[in-house]
Amino acid sequence: MSIVRVHAGERQDRTVTTGTKAWELFAEDTEVVAARVGAPGQEKSLKDLSYVLAEGDEVESVPIDSKDGHDILRHSCAHVMAQAVQQLYPEAKLGIGPPITDGFYYDFDVETPFVPEDLAKIETAMRKIIKEGQRFERRVTTDADAIDELQDEPYKIELIGLKGAGNAEDAAQEIAEGASAEVGAGELTIYDNVRRNGEVAWSDLCRGPHLPTTKRIPAFKLMRSAAAYWRGNEKNKQLQRIYGTAWESKEALEAHLHRIEEAERRDHRKLGRELDLFSFPDEIGSGLPVFHPKGGVIKRAMEDYVRERHIEEGFEYVGTPHIAKEGLFYTSGHLPYYGEGMYPAFDVDGMDYRLKAMNCPMHNLIFRSRQRSYRELPLRLFEFGSVYRHEKSGVIHGLTRVRGFAQDDSHSYVTPEQAPAEVEHLLNFMLSLLRDFGIDDFYLELSTRDESKDKFIGSDEDWAVATKVLEDVALATGLDLVPDPGGAAYYGPKISVQAKDAIGRTWQMGTVQYDFNQPSPDRFNLEYVAADGSRQQPVMIHSAKFGSIERFMGVLVEHYAGAFPPWLAPVQVVGIPVADTFGDHLHQVAAQLRARGIRVEVDESDDRFQKKIRNAQLQKVPFMMIAGGEDVAAGAVSFRYRDGRQDNGVPVEEAIERVVAAVASREQV
């Protein structure tokens, strides 16, 4: 019997017999669900554990609790769900069923929408399939044979047709987000769910890999159903999508469900209503928020602080209009490369105008308004610029995905030699701002161009220089750096800050982008006079510290569950008299607080005393000052914190100083 040599795990050389499968290398580790395999020096690909090893293969284990392990588990669970659905509803036609963040979904064409009782039946059927221990077996097929086999599955046939049309990866993404789980470059494959007696129970078009058997699904739950258009296009057939989640243990599933409950409690849309911060009137339009007085206080406090910090960091405040002639956005490149995100043109005096989707073209015009010298650089321009983006209705989500918002937007114009230091300055500035707002768990993402796509402009040399600058600065921070191939803007690469909130969810915050294209002669032809008298092209560095004020506020509401630190709280102190006769005392205290810049109210409603305290707690006011007869006689108040702690008989001056100090510290209490 012949032998082959492979490298397993930490490049340990192993000699195995011909025909050995990947699972045999990891037979003693029950947590391994797949293998990552590749030739030396080449990128490894995910394989089923049934993969037959070849000479020289480098093999790595894929544990079930890793990112790839989670995806494989969840995609396998999606297949089990689809099998159960077609057992219960034979007329159901299959759409797609990819893994997604923390779960999976599968789309079905059914006559009657699913209801919660249906999901319970499907879960029961899934448990029976899992208990059977059906094997996931991969087989290669041809387009013609697959079409013949799947003749009753029109959506699968459509996927196969796109695969045969050219670039399979692009085709899969074009037809539906997540379709790459079904078809892609290379051979076409089908996975069979095989019972122990060898009978094929169910089959699906799929690229894999999958778990070895259904019994390797430890814990799952179906979450909900919803309508979803095929290809995400409202002109197409409306399908029914079932969402589920699957985890490596029952404990991990329970922890995830707890996080979901906590996320629902913190939902900024719900808290926005309860705390009277903002709303989305239908009369104005989808994705266009209005801020109520209390929300306006938070928004203003954020803007005032960020404006002050920008000025301290050497930025000059500017202002630009909300609309401009259409030609400006052709010059910048936004209409050719970002036109789908902009609102349609409208006529003004016989000329086409556009709502602006970005501020950079107008900042370029400010730079170009007069001759610039190298002595002026870095030139840093900053504004809260209102922009409008034509987001699809399906992705709009409260404040975190809107159509009209204000960016804390800056553009630095620097010499090429100054670029690394300016990127470092911007990134450190951004991280310090986030920390000031109580967000301090980050990693960085480096978005680069995909050389196979034509949505990027500029030379290879320029992209290489820009990418290297960003990468070097990002690595120097000591934070984790995650690659994002193909995620760059059309004009240059970018670093984005990914931040975790109080319950561990990741949000994309601000960005720093290196732009060598907009200043070029083909665009805005920006120049400065160098020390030798020559005219040189500056580098332009974009930066939005929060991304947008609206989105950042939504993140903050959820991060703090509405209980803002005192410096951001809409109402920082509420005075609560034990009886109406003590109201005057609290009004005098309130006047002193206002003189120190504190936002204070006195509750003179008809509610009973305990109800007033409860109201202040529900509104998440940081401090309460309570006054009864003894407090008035002693020139004091009972000082109560948001968490229920209370100090009685605190002199008024001391109580005021406590509040002022807490606000000045910008810390949570």
Side-chain angles (χ1 to χ4, degrees):
M1 182 176 291
S2 60
I3 61 173
V4 296
R5 292 177 177 81
V6 299
H7 304 292
E10 298 295 324
R11 292 190 60 83
Q12 298 173 358
D13 288 351
R14 294 279 297 275
T15 300
V16 298
T17 58
T18 302
T20 297
K21 296 181 178 180
W23 69 265
E24 296 179 69
L25 295 179
F26 311 109
E28 297 180 359
D29 191 342
T30 58
E31 296 301 305
V32 175
V33 294
R36 194 177 288 103
V37 182
Q42 296 183 1
E43 184 177 355
K44 296 178 177 64
S45 58
L46 292 171
K47 300 289 186 183
D48 297 298
L49 286 178
S50 59
Y51 169 79
V52 178
L53 300 171
E55 180 72 33
D57 275 345
E58 291 186 349
V59 189
E60 298 174 357
S61 65
V62 178
I64 194 171
D65 61 355
S66 65
K67 181 183 184 305
D68 286 332
H70 280 158
D71 285 347
I72 292 167
L73 163 65
R74 290 160 185 166
H75 191 39
S76 301
C77 201
H79 274 227
V80 171
M81 180 178 73
Q83 180 181 350
V85 167
Q86 290 198 314
Q87 283 181 3
L88 295 169
Y89 310 95
E91 78 287 354
K93 303 302 179 187
L94 301 173
I96 60 171
I100 55 176
T101 302
D102 290 341
F104 61 88
Y105 70 79
Y106 214 116
D107 291 339
F108 303 95
D109 188 352
V110 289
E111 186 173 337
T112 304
F114 295 114
V115 295
E117 292 77 12
D118 296 327
L119 300 193
K121 293 177 185 177
I122 296 167
E123 276 194 352
T124 299
M126 290 174 67
R127 291 191 182 95
K128 291 180 180 178
I129 294 170
I130 291 169
K131 189 176 181 180
E132 279 187 46
Q134 295 178 11
R135 298 190 308 277
F136 290 97
E137 292 193 356
R138 176 182 184 270
R139 59 185 164 91
V140 179
T141 186
T142 65
D143 289 9
D145 287 346
I147 289 171
D148 183 61
E149 181 176 345
L150 300 169
Q151 57 185 301
D152 293 330
E153 298 288 356
Y155 302 103
K156 301 293 184 181
I157 291 174
E158 190 170 347
L159 285 172
I160 297 168
L162 276 173
K163 176 183 181 295
N167 188 323
E169 297 287 352
D170 285 349
Q173 292 304 318
E174 176 189 341
I175 190 169
E177 188 68 28
S180 58
E182 316 252 344
V183 298
E187 56 194 10
L188 192 67
T189 56
I190 287 177
Y191 274 79
D192 298 319
N193 287 20
V194 182
R195 295 192 172 100
R196 292 183 179 180
N197 63 5
E199 175 189 359
V200 175
W202 185 79
S203 302
D204 194 10
L205 181 72
C206 186
R207 296 177 67 184
H210 281 287
L211 301 174
T213 75
T214 58
K215 271 199 168 181
R216 299 293 295 274
I217 299 174
F220 78 95
K221 182 176 179 57
L222 300 188
M223 306 301 293
R224 61 187 176 92
S225 62
Y229 291 105
W230 179 238
R231 305 192 193 187
N233 188 331
E234 61 271 17
K235 296 180 181 178
N236 291 336
K237 183 77 179 286
Q238 189 177 81
L239 308 181
Q240 287 293 303
R241 175 173 294 179
I242 299 178
Y243 288 95
T245 188
W247 293 83
E248 67 273 15
S249 66
K250 290 181 179 179
E251 293 77 13
L253 173 62
E254 290 172 0
H256 172 67
L257 297 178
H258 175 72
R259 286 193 297 271
I260 290 176
E261 291 177 3
E262 183 65 14
E264 290 174 352
R265 184 179 75 85
R266 292 169 177 263
D267 190 323
H268 74 279
R269 297 167 298 177
K270 170 177 171 286
L271 290 171
R273 292 190 299 271
E274 293 175 355
L275 301 179
D276 195 22
L277 303 179
F278 50 80
S279 61
F280 299 86
D282 289 339
E283 295 86 346
I284 294 177
S286 178
L288 299 170
V290 295
F291 291 90
H292 300 192
K294 289 182 178 179
V297 167
I298 300 171
K299 187 169 184 285
R300 189 192 71 236
M302 292 170 62
E303 290 174 347
D304 288 349
Y305 180 61
V306 172
R307 183 183 293 108
E308 179 183 330
R309 285 294 313 277
H310 272 85
I311 292 170
E312 290 173 357
E313 295 289 335
F315 291 84
E316 299 178 78
Y317 190 75
V318 299
T320 60
H322 295 222
I323 65 172
K325 293 178 182 177
E326 188 176 71
L328 177 66
F329 303 109
Y330 278 111
T331 300
S332 67
H334 286 100
L335 269 175
Y337 292 94
Y338 187 72
E340 74 282 356
M342 298 184 68
Y343 278 95
F346 54 93
D347 181 88
V348 178
D349 298 330
M351 289 182 288
D352 285 339
Y353 277 67
R354 295 268 188 162
L355 284 169
K356 69 173 177 178
M358 62 297 298
N359 303 296
C360 46
M362 297 182 181
H363 288 194
N364 287 335
L365 297 180
I366 294 173
F367 181 95
R368 205 178 68 183
S369 63
R370 64 175 176 80
Q371 181 174 287
R372 302 289 178 176
S373 165
Y374 73 96
R375 298 180 187 277
E376 297 179 72
L377 306 186
L379 177 65
R380 303 179 177 116
L381 305 180
F382 158 75
E383 73 168 313
F384 287 112
S386 296
V387 297
Y388 305 89
R389 296 184 180 171
H390 194 193
E391 301 282 7
K392 291 183 178 180
S393 58
V395 302
I396 291 172
H397 183 82
L399 290 179
T400 59
R401 196 70 177 265
V402 292
R403 286 174 168 167
F405 53 94
Q407 288 185 304
D408 57 329
D409 207 6
S410 75
H411 297 93
S412 299
Y413 299 88
V414 299
T415 69
E417 296 76 20
Q418 292 171 334
E422 186 64 14
V423 171
E424 180 181 11
H425 170 250
L426 288 166
L427 189 56
N428 289 336
F429 176 29
M430 182 190 306
L431 295 176
S432 74
L433 275 177
L434 294 176
R435 292 186 178 103
D436 287 347
F437 282 88
I439 295 178
D440 55 12
D441 186 357
F442 323 106
Y443 69 89
L444 303 179
E445 191 171 78
L446 178 61
S447 299
T448 54
R449 71 170 177 171
D450 183 342
E451 295 182 5
S452 67
K453 305 287 177 64
D454 61 0
K455 67 175 185 176
F456 304 100
I457 58 177
S459 70
D460 292 346
E461 293 77 13
D462 284 339
W463 276 90
V465 169
T467 302
K468 184 70 164 57
V469 167
L470 295 187
E471 183 177 21
D472 288 348
V473 172
L475 290 172
T477 66
L479 298 173
D480 291 338
L481 181 61
V482 176
D484 175 32
Y490 69 89
Y491 49 74
K494 69 178 178 182
I495 298 171
S496 58
V497 176
Q498 309 289 328
K500 288 186 178 180
D501 67 10
I503 59 173
R505 296 170 302 179
T506 299
W507 302 86
Q508 179 175 311
M509 300 278 81
T511 58
V512 178
Q513 298 173 287
Y514 191 114
D515 187 350
F516 47 82
N517 276 300
Q518 287 196 56
S520 70
D522 295 335
R523 299 292 172 185
F524 286 94
N525 194 27
L526 304 185
E527 295 179 335
Y528 65 91
V529 179
D532 62 2
S534 63
R535 295 183 180 274
Q536 302 293 329
Q537 177 184 313
V539 170
M540 177 183 185
I541 301 176
H542 308 241
S543 181
K545 317 307 173 301
F546 297 151
S548 80
I549 296 295
E550 286 77 4
R551 185 172 184 278
F552 191 68
M553 184 188 295
V555 172
L556 283 183
V557 171
E558 299 199 5
H559 179 63
Y560 287 117
F564 289 97
W567 77 280
L568 278 177
V571 177
Q572 296 164 323
V573 180
V574 62
I576 302 176
V578 174
D580 291 346
T581 54
F582 308 124
D584 287 345
H585 175 67
L586 287 174
H587 276 293
Q588 293 173 10
V589 176
Q592 295 179 60
L593 285 164
R594 290 190 188 100
R596 301 288 295 274
I598 301 301
R599 299 184 287 272
V600 57
E601 295 178 353
V602 177
D603 187 346
E604 295 183 292
S605 67
D606 293 332
D607 291 327
R608 290 183 298 177
F609 173 65
Q610 291 298 332
K611 179 69 180 300
K612 291 180 179 181
I613 291 177
R614 177 63 176 159
N615 290 341
Q617 290 174 327
L618 289 174
Q619 287 297 301
K620 304 181 187 293
V621 178
F623 306 112
M624 288 167 259
M625 292 188 181
I626 300 168
E630 292 182 4
D631 296 307
V632 173
V637 294
S638 293
F639 193 91
R640 186 180 180 91
Y641 294 88
R642 183 161 46 197
D643 62 7
R645 290 177 294 135
Q646 183 168 315
D647 295 335
N648 296 325
V650 178
V652 168
E653 289 185 4
E654 180 183 336
I656 290 172
E657 291 305 321
R658 286 189 191 185
V659 174
V660 171
V663 170
S665 73
R666 295 195 174 91
E667 293 179 357
Q668 181 67 290
V669 295

